[in-house]
């Protein structure tokens, strides 16, 4: 585990989920193998681009709500992915300049660009640790985490589009419980998770593409996503499709584009507070 960028080989022989996500968002930090796999997904599920954008928008809104209305000043963002502005710390520090953010990911390409995630306000602080969510104890025990976050004060655990890469055999609920168990009362879980609920046959094809590319996935139903929030106090509107979670007000000069459908978004989202 490392808190500073280090040299580690980047495997370009097969697609990687973070680089595919970068492609969905219109980024440039991916390789041809990632582009091809992402286009294979888009061929069966054109809504993937909408899903990725709405996932990012949910992260922005959830971060602002927690900072503005619930007194959160600290975030642990796991599965950070390749930096895409505005990053979580930029959103949080725009509301509370003294916000502190620890980013964690296990992708060497994310590590390569980690310095983009360390451009904090003077009042706040950000850092990056190379860590795997499947080993929550090592992540929580990283010295830099306790240097930046005070685990005696509320922390928002941000798990955006991450847990569908953790299969049931890898104990996803146990992982989230372990992470939340280390955080005090008043902490929060902000989570988004892709779902097959609105179009099961299409999402089976998406699953096959990821699995055949070497990336295990398990897209879950609303009931299964709800289990991640067991014991937490869900904020309104509860667990809902991404674009329906506290959408930003529509301004007069906003374009009159049709809102996306639930099937296009196919993303369950929610925010819960630890009692």
């Amino acid at each position: 585990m490392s808190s500073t960028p280090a040299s580690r080989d980047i495997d370009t022989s097969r697609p990687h989920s973070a680089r595919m996500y970068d492609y969905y968002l219109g980024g440039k930090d991916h390789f041809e193998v990632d582009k091809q796999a992402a286009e294979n997904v888009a061929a069966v599920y054109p809504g993937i681009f909408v899903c990725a954008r709405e996932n990012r928008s949910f992260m922005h809104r959830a971060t602002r709500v927690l900072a503005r209305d619930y007194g959160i000043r600290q975030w642990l963002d796991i599965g950070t992915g390749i930096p895409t502005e505005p990053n979580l710390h930029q959103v949080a520090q725009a509301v509370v300049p003294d916000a502190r953010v620890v980013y964690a990911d296990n992708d060497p390409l994310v590590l390569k660009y980690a310095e983009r995630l360390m451009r904090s306000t003077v009042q706040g602080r950000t850092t990056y640790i190379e860590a795997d969510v499947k080993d929550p104890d090592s992540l929580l025990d990283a010295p830099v985490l306790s240097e930046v976050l005070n685990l005696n004060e509320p922390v928002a655990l941000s798990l955006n589009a991450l847990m569908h890469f953790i299969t049931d055999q890898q104990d996803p609920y146990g992982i989230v419980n372990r992470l939340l168990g280390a955080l005090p009362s008043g902490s929060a879980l902000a989570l988004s998770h892709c779902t097959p609920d609105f179009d099961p046959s299409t999402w089976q094809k998406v699953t096959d593409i990821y699995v055949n590319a070497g990336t295990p996935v398990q897209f879950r139903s609303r009931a299964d996503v709800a289990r991640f929030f067991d014991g937490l106090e869900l904020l309104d509107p509860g667990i809902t499709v991404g674009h329906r979670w506290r959408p930003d007000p529509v301004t007069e000069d906003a374009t009159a584009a049709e809102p996306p459908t639930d099937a296009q978004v196919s993303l369950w989202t929610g925010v819960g507070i630890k009692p």
Side-chain angles (χ1 to χ4, degrees):
M1 187 173 298
S2 172
S3 61
T4 55
S7 100
R8 188 150 69 89
D9 288 341
I10 296 172
D11 183 0
T12 61
S13 66
R14 65 180 188 176
H16 189 286
S17 57
R19 302 192 304 255
M20 290 171 67
Y21 185 63
D22 176 73
Y23 178 82
Y24 300 146
L25 289 173
K28 298 179 180 179
D29 296 312
H30 53 265
F31 301 99
E32 185 62 30
V33 67
D34 308 303
K35 177 182 177 182
Q36 185 58 57
E39 289 181 345
N40 289 343
V41 171
V44 300
Y45 169 44
I48 188 63
F49 302 103
V50 175
C51 176
R53 290 195 302 269
E54 291 299 337
N55 178 66
R56 199 77 187 163
S57 295
F58 163 74
M59 182 273 284
H60 295 162
R61 298 194 306 275
T63 299
R64 286 196 296 267
V65 166
L66 289 171
R68 184 186 64 229
D69 301 336
Y70 291 88
I72 297 292
R73 298 294 182 269
Q74 305 184 104
W75 278 260
L76 174 57
D77 182 60
I78 306 176
T80 300
I82 295 166
T84 303
E85 293 197 357
N87 294 291
L88 188 150
H89 74 278
Q90 294 167 312
V91 177
Q93 291 176 348
V95 181
V96 283
D98 59 341
R100 292 175 166 241
V101 179
V102 170
Y103 293 106
D105 206 300
N106 69 336
D107 178 14
L109 188 63
V110 178
L111 190 64
K112 177 182 175 182
Y113 295 111
E115 59 98 9
R116 293 187 196 171
L117 301 172
M118 298 185 191
R119 300 170 185 168
S120 173
T121 58
V122 174
Q123 305 97 312
R125 187 174 175 187
T126 67
T127 195
Y128 176 94
I129 57 178
E130 186 182 7
D132 192 333
V133 71
K134 294 190 290 292
D135 188 1
D137 288 324
S138 292
L139 194 159
L140 292 167
D141 291 340
V144 71
L145 186 141
S146 57
E147 291 172 8
V148 175
L149 302 183
N150 178 359
L151 297 188
N152 294 314
E153 297 292 334
V155 175
L157 175 63
S158 181
L159 303 176
N160 290 297
L162 172 66
M163 297 310 293
H164 49 239
F165 294 111
I166 309 299
T167 65
D168 282 350
Q169 290 74 21
Q170 296 168 314
D171 193 20
Y173 303 106
I175 288 170
V176 173
N177 287 339
R178 175 69 185 94
L179 292 166
L180 286 172
L183 307 180
S185 174
S187 293
L189 170 65
L191 180 144
S192 61
H193 196 299
C194 287
T195 181
D197 284 357
F198 303 103
D199 191 348
S201 62
T202 290
W203 279 88
Q204 184 57 57
K205 295 174 185 175
V206 174
T207 298
D208 292 343
I209 292 170
Y210 274 94
V211 171
N212 291 336
T215 301
V217 290
Q218 186 165 347
F219 303 119
R220 295 182 170 91
S221 68
R222 186 183 186 281
D224 287 338
V225 172
R227 288 181 58 195
F228 288 111
F229 294 92
D230 283 354
L232 304 181
E233 297 172 356
L234 275 169
L235 303 187
D236 289 337
I239 297 168
T240 188
V241 184
H243 63 304
R244 300 184 187 280
W245 197 91
R246 302 198 181 192
D248 292 325
V250 177
T251 59
E252 289 184 7
D253 58 350
T255 58
E258 285 291 318
T261 65
D262 291 352
Q264 284 179 307
V265 178
S266 288
L267 187 80
W268 290 121
T269 59
V271 179
I273 304 294
K274 183 175 178 178

